[in-house]
Amino acid sequence: MRLGYSMSYWGGAGLGPADHLALVREAEALGYESVWAAETYGTDPASLMAWIAGQTERIALGTGVLQMSGRKPVVAAMTAATIDQVSGGRARLGVGVSGPQVVEGWHGERFDRPLARARDYLEVVRLALGGAPVSYRGETLTLPLDDSEGKELSLAVSPVQERLPVYLAAMGPKTIALAGELADGWLAIHFPPEHLAAMRVHLKGRDIDVAPMLLTLVEEDQDLAYDMMRPMLALYLGGMGSRRTNFYNRLAASLGFEKEAAQLQEAFLDGRQGEAMAMLPDALIDAMTLCGPAGKLRERVAGYREAGATSLIVGLVTPTRRLRSRQLRLIAQLVRASA
């Protein structure tokens, strides 16, 4: 099982570009196989990966994830191919449909037919990266436009990799099935190993990189570990979506925490964030994150391996460079020990 490091949303008190770069270099030295950067309405992960490319040697560079609504699929292909060129073949393109809060509020598009849009997006990305003239007729996308002066064009720069890996962030059965059909990897955000194992059936046996992405903290004081997880997990369950549509909240509900997830979201969206954090049951934090003593986490990581995970991508919640550096080392040690 390969180990990846998620830079997440470029957050953390007092952390600047030099700090983040130092952490990526340390991850590379520790044997982390990949680094990923997220996108909401802040930093651009593609720019970060291009910047990191020239200052690292081996670590794979992933966008985790680009919002489909923010880039046309041919632009995503151009971006990935460019990063692959400047990095000597280390790019990974992670994409996702996002949600209505960002798609409609930030990008000004309707969040409709997400599954059909994802299918069309992945098909066109693969056509473009493969070097073929892009001609496509889908439910949500037609290239070139009919009755127009449009011309079938091919990507003018080729990726270094013969098949540049494309990952899809997916949470529901139909989207997971689409990842199995068209993608090279599945980014399973906040999935516990038991749920990961159950949902792998939707991949229909296709051999792709199954990559859970998890907030992670190695900490012998279990109560402190839970409290360190509360702010970010409460944000995901309470604030990353509207009252009607929050995919992370739905995941928590599907894991058996429907009442707790609903109450937490209500408190968070009403401005009672502290109360929302306090509402998180320890069992829910255990289900959706990796946190606690090293011995406990070794068993949990082994559970992910048994569930079929082929990569494990960890995000850190500690606020300073020194503490994050320590976490990178501890996580690398326990993942090796769990093998």
Side-chain angles (χ1 to χ4, degrees), residues 9-339:
Y9 300 104
W10 201 253
L15 288 179
D19 299 304
H20 286 289
L21 179 59
L23 290 167
V24 172
R25 285 172 165 169
E26 181 163 4
E28 183 177 55
L30 287 167
Y32 284 72
E33 192 262 344
S34 59
V35 61
W36 302 76
E39 178 176 61
T40 49
Y41 36 89
T43 49
D44 167 44
S47 299
L48 293 177
M49 291 301 104
W51 173 63
I52 291 169
Q55 303 179 82
T56 55
E57 296 179 0
R58 298 177 304 279
I59 198 164
L61 309 165
T63 58
V65 298
L66 290 183
Q67 299 155 5
M68 293 180 179
S69 55
R71 289 172 177 80
K72 301 292 187 184
V74 291
V75 176
M78 291 163 60
T79 299
T82 302
I83 296 172
D84 209 47
Q85 280 279 341
V86 301
S87 68
R90 292 185 280 144
R92 293 185 181 175
L93 177 62
V95 296
V97 298
S98 190
Q101 185 181 48
V102 171
V103 173
E104 298 181 351
W106 187 242
H107 296 298
E109 295 185 3
R110 290 295 176 192
F111 187 75
D112 59 357
R113 297 179 292 172
L115 189 66
R117 290 184 184 278
R119 171 175 291 280
D120 290 345
Y121 199 98
L122 292 174
E123 294 271 22
V124 171
V125 163
R126 186 56 69 199
L127 277 174
L129 288 174
V134 177
S135 177
Y136 184 78
R137 300 292 183 272
E139 184 178 334
T140 70
L141 183 63
T142 298
L143 292 171
L145 287 174
D146 294 327
D147 301 320
S148 75
E149 298 179 57
K151 178 183 178 181
E152 292 182 10
L153 298 172
S154 302
L155 186 63
V157 57
S158 298
V160 174
Q161 299 172 85
E162 183 176 349
R163 183 179 176 90
L164 192 154
V166 177
Y167 286 67
L168 181 64
M171 302 184 80
K174 293 180 180 179
T175 316
I176 294 169
L178 186 63
E181 179 184 351
L182 296 178
D184 303 291
W186 166 32
L187 299 174
I189 303 173
H190 301 318
F191 274 47
E194 303 82 5
H195 193 60
L196 187 78
M199 298 301 278
R200 276 187 64 227
V201 66
H202 300 291
L203 296 176
K204 295 182 170 60
R206 179 147 182 251
D207 183 20
I208 68 172
D209 188 12
V210 176
M213 302 184 81
L214 299 159
L215 297 172
T216 303
L217 178 66
V218 185
E219 171 55 58
E220 294 305 308
D221 184 334
Q222 182 66 77
D223 290 336
L224 175 60
Y226 286 143
D227 287 343
M228 289 289 289
M229 285 293 174
R230 292 182 192 281
M232 186 60 76
L233 191 57
L235 173 62
Y236 272 98
L237 301 184
M240 288 198 180
S242 64
R243 277 186 169 85
R244 188 170 64 184
T245 309
N246 181 317
F247 298 117
Y248 305 110
N249 195 282
R250 290 180 186 175
L251 174 60
S254 73
L255 298 176
F257 299 93
E258 183 174 6
K259 179 180 178 181
E260 294 89 341
Q263 291 174 339
L264 183 154
Q265 184 187 48
E266 194 66 28
F268 195 99
L269 294 178
D270 283 347
R272 295 177 282 122
Q273 283 86 0
E275 185 177 335
M277 287 187 279
M279 287 179 177
L280 276 167
D282 295 347
L284 177 54
I285 301 174
D286 274 331
M288 299 183 75
T289 74
L290 281 172
C291 76
K296 169 188 171 183
L297 297 197
R298 279 194 295 271
E299 293 182 6
R300 193 70 164 165
V301 168
Y304 276 102
R305 186 178 283 107
E306 293 168 7
T310 49
S311 292
L312 181 68
I313 303 171
V314 299
L316 307 181
V317 297
T318 44
T320 68
R321 173 173 159 181
R322 180 181 64 82
L323 291 173
R324 291 190 178 195
S325 175
R326 179 175 182 270
Q327 285 296 312
L328 286 173
R329 292 194 303 274
L330 291 173
I331 292 166
Q333 290 167 5
L334 74 86
V335 168
R336 284 194 294 267
S338 71

